[in-house]
Amino acid sequence: MQAETVKSEKKQQSFKVEDRARLLVKCPDKPGIVSVLSSFLLKYNANIIESSQYSSDPENGTFFIRLEYYCDHLQKKAPEMEQEFKQIADNYEMTYHFYYLNNRQRSAIYVSKELHCLLELLWEWQNGDLQTDIAVVISNHEDARAVVESYGIPFHYLPANKDIRKEVEAQQIALMEEYDVDLLILARYMQILTPEFVNHFENRIINIHHSFLPAFIGANPYDRAYKRGVKLIGATSHYVTNDLDEGPIIEQDVERVDHRDDVATLKKIGGKIERRVLAKAVKWHLENRIIVEGNKTIVFH
Amino acid sequence: MQAETVKSEKKQQSFKVEDRARLLVKCPDKPGIVSVLSSFLLKYNANIIESSQYSSDPENGTFFIRLEYYCDHLQKKAPEMEQEFKQIADNYEMTYHFYYLNNRQRSAIYVSKELHCLLELLWEWQNGDLQTDIAVVISNHEDARAVVESYGIPFHYLPANKDIRKEVEAQQIALMEEYDVDLLILARYMQILTPEFVNHFENRIINIHHSFLPAFIGANPYDRAYKRGVKLIGATSHYVTNDLDEGPIIEQDVERVDHRDDVATLKKIGGKIERRVLAKAVKWHLENRIIVEGNKTIVFH
Amino acid sequence: MQAETVKSEKKQQSFKVEDRARLLVKCPDKPGIVSVLSSFLLKYNANIIESSQYSSDPENGTFFIRLEYYCDHLQKKAPEMEQEFKQIADNYEMTYHFYYLNNRQRSAIYVSKELHCLLELLWEWQNGDLQTDIAVVISNHEDARAVVESYGIPFHYLPANKDIRKEVEAQQIALMEEYDVDLLILARYMQILTPEFVNHFENRIINIHHSFLPAFIGANPYDRAYKRGVKLIGATSHYVTNDLDEGPIIEQDVERVDHRDDVATLKKIGGKIERRVLAKAVKWHLENRIIVEGNKTIVFH
Amino acid sequence: MQAETVKSEKKQQSFKVEDRARLLVKCPDKPGIVSVLSSFLLKYNANIIESSQYSSDPENGTFFIRLEYYCDHLQKKAPEMEQEFKQIADNYEMTYHFYYLNNRQRSAIYVSKELHCLLELLWEWQNGDLQTDIAVVISNHEDARAVVESYGIPFHYLPANKDIRKEVEAQQIALMEEYDVDLLILARYMQILTPEFVNHFENRIINIHHSFLPAFIGANPYDRAYKRGVKLIGATSHYVTNDLDEGPIIEQDVERVDHRDDVATLKKIGGKIERRVLAKAVKWHLENRIIVEGNKTIVFH
C-alpha cells in the first residue's frame, strides 16, 4: 500500500555471466587443499565470490568444496586453467568439474495430469530464478499443452503405460538428445521408469515425492497418511535411482494437518509443499550446489 | 512417480450449494445461547456441518459463534427462518448475519507492478479454492493486463498518484458499484487510500503488508529489515483502516533469513510469504470465518 | 531488561476447580445433538466455557463433542446430572464420560538413562501446566533417582530386560495399583512391553518415539535418519498399542538438519523435539482433549 | 521404547581441546586472502576443521572469515604463529583474533524473578553444550538462589532499582572482575543498564527480549502483542547497546498464537521461545561464531 523504491540488485548479478564459473572438487581430506585451490585461482586473478566446504571427517575423511568465482576474460583463460588444473587434481586425487555460467543447463519437465509443480517451475523460470533453459515439456496427458505452449516451450504428448514403457522411453531418450537436455525434472510424472532409463541419466533426474520420505514410499501417500493419522504431511525432492523413492534426498518440508483434514484437503495442502520443495531442489541443482555422495546429498546453500 | 487413484472429495461438497448457509452471531455471553441457536436450527431440520465459538471471557464477556449448516429446500425456508430469528436476536441482544453459499461474493483485485500475489489468487481461484467471483482487476499500471484478460476477467487501468487521488477513487468507487463488488483485495497495490474510500468499504478491504506487523510499518519494509539485521522476515494480511498498517490482523507468517541475504533476496523470499498469507486471508474472509472485534480478528479455522 | 507488570490471569482459572467439569461424547451424527446437550447443561445452570466438536461425515458419520463447563455447587448436582444424562445417552446411542477437575489424574513416568523428557515434564508440572499428580517414577536405571527425589516424588528402580519381563511387569502393575495411577508416560523408556501390560492400560500409555512416524519405526531411528540422509528429523507422541510404534498419533514435530549433522548432533536436536512433543501430548491427555477413534486421534486444541 | 546403541560422537571432539583454536578475521576484500590464510595454517601443519566466510560485496566489500583448526602441540606453536601473523595482518589491513579452546570463556548470568531462561542455560551447560564456565549468577531477587547453589555456582543477591543504579552497577562491575567474567547473559533481567555499564562490556552482554524485534520494543511486549492482535509472537536475542532493544540481533524465533490466547498464555508460549532463542545465541557466542558488524551480526552456523 506504499511506494517501494528499492533499487538493490542481487550482488552477484553485477558480474558479467561469461566471466563467472564454479569449481566443485571432491578428494581425500588432508592439509593444504584450500591453500592450493585458492593459490590456483589467485594466479589467474580469479576472485572467489562464494566458498563452501565440508569434510566428512577431519581425520581420513573426504573433502568437498564448491568455489564460485569470476575473473575478467574467463572465456579466454579457461582452457589454460583447466589444463593446469589437471596436475593439481592428480596430486590430490581430486574428482572435479568446472561449470561456466554462460553455458546454461537445458531442462526437460515431465508431467502428468496435476500441473501445480509444473506451473511453479514455469513461474520461477519466468522470474529469472532458475538458471536454465526449459527446452521441452513431456507428458503422458494433454492437460499441460496449452499453458506450456503459451510460454513458447515445445510440448510433446507421449502416452505411457507399463506395456509400452520401453518404446516410450526410447522416444523420450531420442527427444532428450534432440533437445540436448541436461536435467530431467519429474514434476508429478506418474510413471515408473526402467533401470535403463534411470542409468542413462544418473544424478540428472529430480523427482518430487508427495510424502516426507522414508514414510509412505510408493503409491497413494496422501491416502496412507490419512489412514495413519499423521499430524504432519510432507514432500521430498530426490534424485531418482532404481530403488523406488530411495534416491538421495535433496530437500524436504512439512505442514501441520489435523483430524478434520480429509484426503482431498491433504492433497491441497501437500500440493503447496510439493511446489516449493521441488522448486528449491531444481534451483540448487542448477546452481551446482548439490554433491551426491553415496545415497546422500551435500547441499551448499 | 506412481499412479494416484484417490477418489475422495471434500466432504462438505456433497451438499448442494443452494442448501448451505452460515450464521454468524455476536452477543453478550450468558448461559443458554448455544441451546437456543441449536434448537432454532433443529426446528427447520438444518444440520450443523461445522460449529466454532469463542467467548472473550466466561463472565460478562462477549460470545461469538459461526454455524455452518445445510437443509433441504433452504431457499424456500430462508425468509421464514430469518423472520423468526429476529425475536431470538432481540432477546439475546445479538448482532448476526446469514450468509447463503449460492450467493457468491464478488471480488475486485487491486494491483500495481508486482504480480506475484495477483497470480497466486488467480491460481487458487481457478482451482476452485476461493468461493468468489473475481469481477474485475484494477491497476495503476498496465503490467497485469495480459494475464488478467487471459482469464477472461475485465481489467481497468487507472493511473493514480496523490495529486489525483480523489478523482481516481471516485472512478474506482463507480467501478465497484458497476461490478457489484463485495470485497476489495489489495494485492501489493502501492497507493495510499483516503479515509473516505476506506470508510466506504469498512472491513471489506484486505491488504497484504510485506512485513511482520507491527514491525516495519510504512514504506520499504524489506530495506528496513535488511538494515535492522532481522533474522526472520514476514508478511501480514489485515483489514485496511485509516491508521496505516494498523488494521485488524488476519494472518501472518515468516521465513528465516541470514546475513548473506541482500534486499533483493529478502524481496524474493518475502514474495513467497506474501502470496500464501494473502491467499489464506482472502479464503477465510470468503468462507465467513473472520469476525472483526475492535482492532482484532477472531478467525474460526 | 524492563519491568513487566502484567496482572492478567488465565481466564478459566477464575472459576473454582470443584465447580468445573468436562463432558466428552461420541455418537452417531444426526440433527439435534448439540441442542439436547446444551439444553441439558442449561437446565443445571452450567455455563459452557469451551466447546469443540467434530463430525467424521455430515451424513451417517460419527459425532464427537467436548464440552468444558462450570456451575455453582457442581459437586452436589453431579450425581443427579449423571443420572438424568443416562436417558439422553440411551436415546442418542452415546458413549460418554464426565470428568471433574477436582479429581486430578495421577501419573507415573517411566524412564531409562536419558532424562531430558522426564526433566521437561517435571518442569512443566512444577509450573502448574500439567493437571496431574505425578505419583511415582519408575526406571530400569538409577540415573534419575536424585532429581526425582529432589521433587519429593517416589522413585522405584526396577531392573528390566527381556528375560525377566513378565516378573518386572507384574511388579509394575502392582505399583500402578498401589499408587492409584491413571496415566503411564514412557519418557524414553527403552523396554518393550508385553501385550498383557499394554492391554491392561488401554489408551492410558503415552510414548515418545524419536522419529516422525511412520518413518523409522523401531530401534535406532537417529542412526537410520543419518544413513538415509533426511533433511528433517522429528519426534512422535502416540498411545501405545501392541503394534510397535503403530499406535494412534497424538502429536508430531520436526526440525531441519543438514549434511554436516552427525548422529550425535541429530540426537541433540531431536532431544529438544522429543521434550516439547511429549509435553504437549501429556498436557492434552490430562485436559481430556484427545479422543481415540480407531487408530487415530481427534485432538481438540 | 527400544534399546538405543548409538556410539557415535561429535566428530570434532576427537581432537584434544588444547590443540584446537579459531581464527576470526575481518579485512577489505581482495583476491588472495583465502590463499594467504590457508598457506599460513598449512605452514604450521594446522588442519582446518571448519571454515566459513562472507563478503559484504565482491567488489570493494569487507571480507570476514572464521577458521577452526587443530594442530599438534598448538600451545607451543601459538606464540610464534601469532607473531608471524602480525605481518600478514598488516599487509591486508586485518582485524583479527585467535581463540584457544582450552581457554574457556567465563560467564555471568543475570536474572530477576522469572527463571525459565536461567534454567535452560544451566541445563544446556550441564549437558556440556555450552563451552563456558558459569562463574556466577547475579539477581535482584532471591528466587533463583536455591537452584543456582544446587549446581555449586555462586549466587549474589543485589537489589536494584533506578535510584541506586550506579551503586549497584559498581558492585556488579567489581563482581565481574572478581569472577573474571568474559560474557554477561541477561536471562530476563528486568533492569535498565546505564551507558557506562554497557560500554564497559561492549559486545559482551547478550539479552533476550520477549518480542520479535523491532516489534514491541520496551516494556510489556506480551500485553502489547495481545492488544495488537498479532498471530505470531516471538523472542529476540541481541547484544546490548545503549539504544534500548536496538542492539545487533543474534537470533529470533516465533510461534503461532490465536484469538483464544490471553496474555498469560502468550507468556507461557513465549517463555519457551525465549528459552531456545537465548540458549542458541549464547552457544554461538561461546563458539566464536558471531561477528558484530555495524549494528548487525554475521553468524557462521
Side-chain angles (χ1 to χ4, degrees):
Chain A
M1 221 168 78
Q2 311 79 30
E4 184 90 15
T5 57
V6 183
K7 291 281 175 280
S8 124
E9 291 280 335
K10 181 72 184 164
K11 280 171 282 175
Q12 301 183 5
Q13 294 169 357
S14 57
F15 305 113
K16 282 182 289 187
V17 76
E18 61 265 31
D19 287 343
R20 291 174 62 192
R22 297 167 191 140
L23 171 58
L24 272 80
V25 172
K26 169 185 165 182
C27 62
D29 198 2
K30 58 182 171 181
I33 301 167
V34 174
S35 176
V36 75
L37 291 173
S38 51
S39 301
F40 167 77
L41 290 175
L42 181 60
K43 182 176 162 187
Y44 290 92
N45 284 315
N47 201 353
I48 299 170
I49 298 170
E50 198 180 324
S51 164
S52 311
Q53 62 189 74
Y54 168 66
S55 177
S56 65
D57 194 331
E59 287 185 299
N60 303 316
T62 304
F63 179 85
F64 305 86
I65 193 165
R66 175 189 184 275
L67 293 160
E68 183 154 349
Y69 58 92
Y70 77 97
C71 64
D72 291 337
H73 311 297
L74 177 60
Q75 299 306 309
K76 278 188 208 150
K77 294 175 184 172
E80 187 189 334
M81 288 177 80
E82 294 208 25
Q83 185 61 34
E84 181 181 338
F85 196 76
K86 280 181 188 160
Q87 189 58 51
I88 295 173
D90 274 359
N91 293 348
Y92 286 84
E93 300 170 74
M94 290 173 174
T95 310
Y96 69 96
H97 205 281
F98 286 89
Y99 298 91
Y100 298 96
L101 270 74
N102 66 339
N103 200 358
R104 278 166 83 85
Q105 292 188 57
R106 295 173 60 79
S107 300
I109 303 178
Y110 284 65
V111 67
S112 292
K113 293 178 78 71
E114 302 213 54
L115 306 187
H116 54 286
C117 289
L118 169 69
L119 290 172
E120 184 80 10
L121 292 171
L122 292 174
W123 188 341
E124 295 277 307
W125 172 73
Q126 193 180 35
N127 286 344
D129 291 334
L130 296 183
Q131 299 176 356
T132 190
D133 296 324
I134 299 183
V136 61
V137 172
I138 308 285
S139 182
N140 54 336
H141 295 277
E142 285 283 9
D143 305 61
R145 182 183 292 276
V147 66
V148 169
E149 292 183 345
S150 79
Y151 280 88
I153 298 169
F155 175 87
H156 286 265
Y157 166 58
L158 289 180
N161 62 58
K162 64 183 166 141
D163 298 327
I164 55 169
R165 188 155 289 154
K166 294 221 161 203
E167 297 82 339
V168 172
E169 288 189 350
Q171 289 177 280
Q172 289 171 337
I173 290 174
L175 281 169
M176 296 303 97
E177 284 167 6
E178 178 188 336
Y179 284 101
D180 193 18
V181 166
D182 300 295
L183 174 67
L184 286 69
I185 305 165
L186 308 186
R188 299 296 307 271
Y189 181 61
M190 296 315 213
Q191 291 291 319
I192 301 287
L193 306 173
T194 68
E196 292 71 32
F197 190 90
V198 171
N199 292 340
H200 198 278
F201 300 102
E202 192 186 3
N203 291 342
R204 295 199 287 141
I205 311 176
I206 294 180
N207 184 46
I208 181 73
H209 184 73
H210 36 321
S211 80
F212 53 92
L213 291 174
F216 308 123
I217 289 173
N220 298 325
Y222 292 126
D223 285 77
R224 289 151 65 204
Y226 176 77
K227 281 184 197 122
R228 182 62 188 92
V230 293
K231 302 299 186 185
L232 298 169
I233 59 166
T236 304
S237 189
H238 63 94
Y239 288 108
V240 175
T241 63
N242 284 311
D243 296 309
L244 182 64
D245 299 329
E246 295 277 15
I249 293 171
I250 303 169
E251 174 66 350
Q252 306 186 279
D253 206 352
V254 295
E255 291 276 343
R256 195 158 284 280
V257 296
D258 70 28
H259 60 270
R260 297 171 300 180
D261 298 313
D262 58 11
V263 174
T265 304
L266 297 190
K267 291 180 78 170
K268 250 183 223 309
I269 296 169
K272 293 182 205 291
I273 315 173
E274 295 163 30
R275 279 161 58 180
R276 64 176 188 256
V277 166
L278 180 60
K280 280 186 182 175
V282 168
K283 181 175 160 64
W284 295 336
H285 178 94
L286 294 168
E287 295 176 356
N288 311 116
R289 295 187 177 280
I290 311 175
I291 298 173
V292 176
E293 175 68 0
N295 201 45
K296 299 167 70 167
T297 62
I298 294 155
V299 183
F300 290 126
H301 296 281
Chain B
M1 223 166 75
Q2 311 80 28
E4 184 90 15
T5 56
V6 182
K7 291 280 176 281
S8 123
E9 291 281 334
K10 182 71 186 164
K11 281 171 282 175
Q12 300 182 7
Q13 292 169 357
S14 57
F15 305 113
K16 282 183 289 186
V17 77
E18 61 265 33
D19 287 342
R20 291 173 61 192
R22 297 167 191 139
L23 171 58
L24 273 80
V25 172
K26 169 184 165 181
C27 64
D29 198 2
K30 58 181 170 181
I33 301 167
V34 174
S35 175
V36 74
L37 291 173
S38 51
S39 300
F40 167 77
L41 289 175
L42 181 61
K43 181 177 162 185
Y44 289 91
N45 284 315
N47 201 353
I48 299 170
I49 299 170
E50 197 180 326
S51 164
S52 311
Q53 62 189 74
Y54 168 66
S55 178
S56 65
D57 194 331
E59 287 185 299
N60 303 316
T62 304
F63 179 85
F64 305 86
I65 193 165
R66 175 189 184 276
L67 293 161
E68 182 155 349
Y69 58 91
Y70 77 98
C71 62
D72 291 337
H73 311 297
L74 177 61
Q75 299 306 308
K76 277 189 208 150
K77 294 176 185 171
E80 187 190 333
M81 287 177 80
E82 293 208 27
Q83 185 59 35
E84 180 180 339
F85 196 76
K86 280 181 188 159
Q87 189 57 50
I88 295 172
D90 273 358
N91 294 348
Y92 285 84
E93 299 170 76
M94 289 173 175
T95 310
Y96 69 97
H97 205 281
F98 286 89
Y99 298 91
Y100 299 97
L101 269 73
N102 67 338
N103 201 358
R104 276 166 85 85
Q105 292 188 58
R106 293 173 63 77
S107 300
I109 303 178
Y110 284 66
V111 68
S112 291
K113 292 177 79 70
E114 301 214 54
L115 306 188
H116 54 286
C117 289
L118 169 69
L119 290 172
E120 184 81 10
L121 292 172
L122 291 174
W123 188 339
E124 295 275 308
W125 171 72
Q126 194 179 32
N127 287 343
D129 291 334
L130 296 183
Q131 300 176 355
T132 190
D133 296 324
I134 299 184
V136 61
V137 173
I138 308 284
S139 183
N140 55 335
H141 295 277
E142 285 283 6
D143 304 63
R145 182 184 293 276
V147 66
V148 169
E149 292 183 346
S150 80
Y151 280 88
I153 299 169
F155 175 87
H156 287 265
Y157 167 58
L158 289 181
N161 62 58
K162 64 183 168 148
D163 298 327
I164 55 168
R165 188 154 289 154
K166 295 222 161 202
E167 296 82 340
V168 172
E169 287 189 350
Q171 289 177 279
Q172 290 171 338
I173 290 174
L175 280 169
M176 296 303 96
E177 284 168 5
E178 179 188 335
Y179 284 101
D180 192 19
V181 165
D182 300 294
L183 174 67
L184 286 69
I185 305 165
L186 309 185
R188 299 295 308 271
Y189 181 62
M190 297 316 214
Q191 292 291 320
I192 301 287
L193 306 174
T194 68
E196 291 71 32
F197 189 90
V198 170
N199 293 339
H200 199 278
F201 300 102
E202 192 185 3
N203 291 343
R204 294 198 288 141
I205 312 177
I206 293 179
N207 184 46
I208 181 74
H209 184 73
H210 36 321
S211 80
F212 52 92
L213 292 174
F216 308 122
I217 288 173
N220 296 327
Y222 292 126
D223 286 77
R224 290 151 65 206
Y226 176 77
K227 282 184 195 121
R228 181 62 187 93
V230 293
K231 301 299 185 185
L232 297 170
I233 59 165
T236 304
S237 189
H238 63 94
Y239 288 108
V240 174
T241 64
N242 284 311
D243 295 309
L244 182 63
D245 300 329
E246 295 277 15
I249 293 172
I250 304 169
E251 174 64 350
Q252 308 187 277
D253 207 352
V254 295
E255 291 276 343
R256 196 158 283 280
V257 296
D258 71 27
H259 60 271
R260 297 172 300 181
D261 298 313
D262 58 11
V263 175
T265 304
L266 297 190
K267 291 179 77 170
K268 250 183 224 309
I269 296 170
K272 294 182 205 290
I273 315 173
E274 295 163 29
R275 278 161 57 181
R276 64 175 187 256
V277 166
L278 180 60
K280 279 186 185 176
V282 168
K283 181 175 160 63
W284 295 336
H285 177 93
L286 294 169
E287 296 176 355
N288 310 117
R289 296 187 177 280
I290 311 176
I291 297 173
V292 176
E293 174 68 0
N295 201 45
K296 299 167 71 167
T297 62
I298 295 156
V299 183
F300 290 127
H301 296 282
Chain C
M1 224 169 76
Q2 311 80 28
E4 184 89 15
T5 56
V6 183
K7 292 280 175 280
S8 122
E9 290 280 335
K10 182 71 186 166
K11 279 171 283 176
Q12 299 182 5
Q13 292 169 357
S14 58
F15 305 113
K16 283 182 289 187
V17 77
E18 61 265 32
D19 288 342
R20 290 174 62 193
R22 297 166 192 141
L23 171 58
L24 273 80
V25 171
K26 169 184 166 182
C27 63
D29 198 2
K30 59 180 171 181
I33 302 167
V34 174
S35 175
V36 75
L37 291 173
S38 52
S39 300
F40 166 78
L41 289 175
L42 181 61
K43 180 176 164 187
Y44 289 91
N45 284 315
N47 201 352
I48 299 170
I49 299 170
E50 198 181 326
S51 164
S52 312
Q53 61 189 74
Y54 169 66
S55 177
S56 65
D57 194 332
E59 287 185 298
N60 303 317
T62 304
F63 179 84
F64 305 86
I65 193 165
R66 176 189 183 275
L67 293 161
E68 183 154 347
Y69 59 92
Y70 77 98
C71 63
D72 291 337
H73 311 298
L74 176 60
Q75 298 306 308
K76 276 189 209 149
K77 294 175 184 171
E80 186 189 332
M81 288 176 79
E82 294 209 23
Q83 184 60 35
E84 180 180 338
F85 196 76
K86 279 181 190 160
Q87 188 57 52
I88 295 173
D90 273 358
N91 293 348
Y92 286 84
E93 299 170 76
M94 290 173 173
T95 310
Y96 69 98
H97 204 282
F98 286 90
Y99 298 90
Y100 298 97
L101 270 73
N102 67 338
N103 199 358
R104 277 166 84 86
Q105 292 188 58
R106 295 172 62 78
S107 300
I109 302 177
Y110 284 66
V111 68
S112 291
K113 292 177 79 72
E114 301 213 55
L115 306 188
H116 54 286
C117 289
L118 169 69
L119 290 172
E120 184 80 10
L121 292 172
L122 291 174
W123 188 339
E124 294 276 308
W125 172 72
Q126 194 179 33
N127 286 344
D129 291 334
L130 296 182
Q131 299 175 357
T132 190
D133 296 325
I134 299 183
V136 61
V137 173
I138 308 285
S139 183
N140 55 335
H141 295 276
E142 285 283 5
D143 304 62
R145 181 184 293 277
V147 65
V148 169
E149 292 182 346
S150 80
Y151 280 88
I153 298 169
F155 176 87
H156 287 265
Y157 167 58
L158 289 181
N161 63 58
K162 63 183 167 146
D163 298 327
I164 56 169
R165 188 155 288 154
K166 295 224 160 199
E167 297 81 341
V168 171
E169 287 190 350
Q171 288 177 281
Q172 289 171 337
I173 290 174
L175 280 169
M176 296 303 96
E177 283 167 5
E178 178 188 335
Y179 284 102
D180 193 18
V181 166
D182 299 295
L183 174 66
L184 285 70
I185 305 165
L186 308 186
R188 298 295 308 271
Y189 181 61
M190 296 314 212
Q191 291 291 319
I192 301 286
L193 306 174
T194 67
E196 292 71 31
F197 190 90
V198 171
N199 293 339
H200 198 278
F201 300 102
E202 191 186 3
N203 291 344
R204 295 199 287 141
I205 312 177
I206 294 179
N207 184 46
I208 180 75
H209 184 74
H210 36 322
S211 80
F212 52 92
L213 290 174
F216 308 122
I217 289 173
N220 298 326
Y222 291 126
D223 286 77
R224 289 152 64 205
Y226 176 77
K227 280 183 198 125
R228 181 63 188 91
V230 293
K231 301 299 185 185
L232 298 169
I233 58 165
T236 304
S237 190
H238 63 94
Y239 288 107
V240 175
T241 63
N242 284 312
D243 295 310
L244 182 64
D245 299 329
E246 296 277 14
I249 293 172
I250 304 169
E251 173 67 350
Q252 306 187 278
D253 207 353
V254 295
E255 291 276 341
R256 197 158 283 280
V257 296
D258 70 26
H259 60 271
R260 298 171 300 181
D261 298 312
D262 58 10
V263 175
T265 304
L266 296 190
K267 292 179 77 170
K268 249 184 224 309
I269 295 170
K272 293 182 205 290
I273 315 173
E274 296 163 29
R275 277 161 59 181
R276 63 176 187 256
V277 166
L278 180 60
K280 279 187 184 175
V282 167
K283 180 175 160 63
W284 295 336
H285 177 95
L286 293 169
E287 296 176 355
N288 311 115
R289 294 186 179 280
I290 311 174
I291 297 174
V292 176
E293 175 67 359
N295 201 45
K296 299 168 69 167
T297 62
I298 295 155
V299 183
F300 290 127
H301 296 281
Chain D
M1 223 168 74
Q2 312 79 28
E4 184 91 15
T5 55
V6 182
K7 291 282 176 281
S8 123
E9 290 280 333
K10 182 72 185 165
K11 280 170 282 175
Q12 301 184 4
Q13 291 169 0
S14 57
F15 305 112
K16 282 183 290 186
V17 77
E18 60 267 30
D19 287 343
R20 292 174 61 193
R22 297 165 192 142
L23 170 58
L24 272 81
V25 172
K26 168 185 166 180
C27 63
D29 197 3
K30 58 181 170 181
I33 301 167
V34 175
S35 176
V36 75
L37 290 174
S38 52
S39 300
F40 167 78
L41 288 175
L42 181 61
K43 182 177 162 187
Y44 289 91
N45 285 314
N47 201 353
I48 298 170
I49 299 170
E50 197 180 325
S51 165
S52 312
Q53 62 189 74
Y54 168 67
S55 177
S56 65
D57 194 330
E59 287 186 298
N60 303 317
T62 304
F63 179 84
F64 305 86
I65 194 166
R66 176 189 184 274
L67 293 160
E68 183 153 349
Y69 58 92
Y70 78 98
C71 63
D72 291 338
H73 311 298
L74 176 60
Q75 298 307 308
K76 277 188 207 149
K77 295 174 183 171
E80 187 189 333
M81 288 176 80
E82 294 208 23
Q83 185 60 36
E84 181 180 338
F85 196 76
K86 280 181 189 160
Q87 189 57 51
I88 295 172
D90 274 359
N91 293 349
Y92 286 85
E93 300 170 76
M94 290 173 174
T95 310
Y96 68 98
H97 204 280
F98 286 90
Y99 298 91
Y100 298 97
L101 269 73
N102 66 338
N103 200 358
R104 278 165 83 85
Q105 292 188 58
R106 294 173 60 79
S107 300
I109 302 177
Y110 284 66
V111 67
S112 291
K113 293 177 79 70
E114 302 213 55
L115 307 188
H116 54 286
C117 289
L118 169 69
L119 290 172
E120 184 81 9
L121 292 171
L122 292 174
W123 187 341
E124 295 276 308
W125 172 72
Q126 194 179 32
N127 286 345
D129 292 333
L130 297 182
Q131 299 176 356
T132 189
D133 296 324
I134 299 183
V136 61
V137 173
I138 308 284
S139 183
N140 55 336
H141 295 276
E142 285 282 7
D143 304 62
R145 181 183 293 276
V147 65
V148 169
E149 292 183 346
S150 79
Y151 280 87
I153 298 169
F155 175 88
H156 287 265
Y157 167 59
L158 289 180
N161 62 59
K162 65 182 167 147
D163 298 328
I164 57 169
R165 187 155 290 155
K166 294 222 162 203
E167 297 82 338
V168 171
E169 287 189 351
Q171 289 178 279
Q172 290 171 338
I173 290 174
L175 280 168
M176 296 304 96
E177 284 167 5
E178 179 188 336
Y179 285 102
D180 193 19
V181 165
D182 300 294
L183 174 66
L184 285 69
I185 305 165
L186 308 186
R188 299 294 308 271
Y189 180 62
M190 296 315 214
Q191 292 291 320
I192 302 287
L193 306 174
T194 68
E196 292 70 31
F197 190 90
V198 170
N199 294 339
H200 199 278
F201 300 102
E202 191 185 2
N203 290 345
R204 294 200 286 141
I205 312 177
I206 293 179
N207 185 44
I208 180 75
H209 183 72
H210 35 322
S211 80
F212 52 92
L213 291 174
F216 308 123
I217 289 173
N220 297 326
Y222 291 125
D223 286 77
R224 289 152 64 205
Y226 176 78
K227 281 184 196 122
R228 181 62 187 92
V230 294
K231 302 299 185 185
L232 297 170
I233 58 166
T236 304
S237 190
H238 63 94
Y239 288 108
V240 175
T241 63
N242 284 311
D243 295 310
L244 182 64
D245 300 328
E246 296 276 15
I249 293 172
I250 304 168
E251 174 65 350
Q252 307 188 277
D253 207 353
V254 295
E255 291 276 343
R256 196 157 282 281
V257 296
D258 70 28
H259 60 270
R260 297 171 300 181
D261 297 313
D262 58 11
V263 175
T265 304
L266 296 190
K267 292 180 77 170
K268 249 184 224 307
I269 295 169
K272 293 181 205 288
I273 314 173
E274 296 164 29
R275 279 160 58 180
R276 64 175 187 256
V277 166
L278 180 60
K280 279 186 182 175
V282 167
K283 180 175 161 64
W284 295 336
H285 177 94
L286 294 168
E287 295 175 356
N288 312 115
R289 296 188 178 279
I290 311 176
I291 297 174
V292 176
E293 175 68 0
N295 201 44
K296 298 167 71 167
T297 62
I298 295 155
V299 183
F300 290 127
H301 296 282

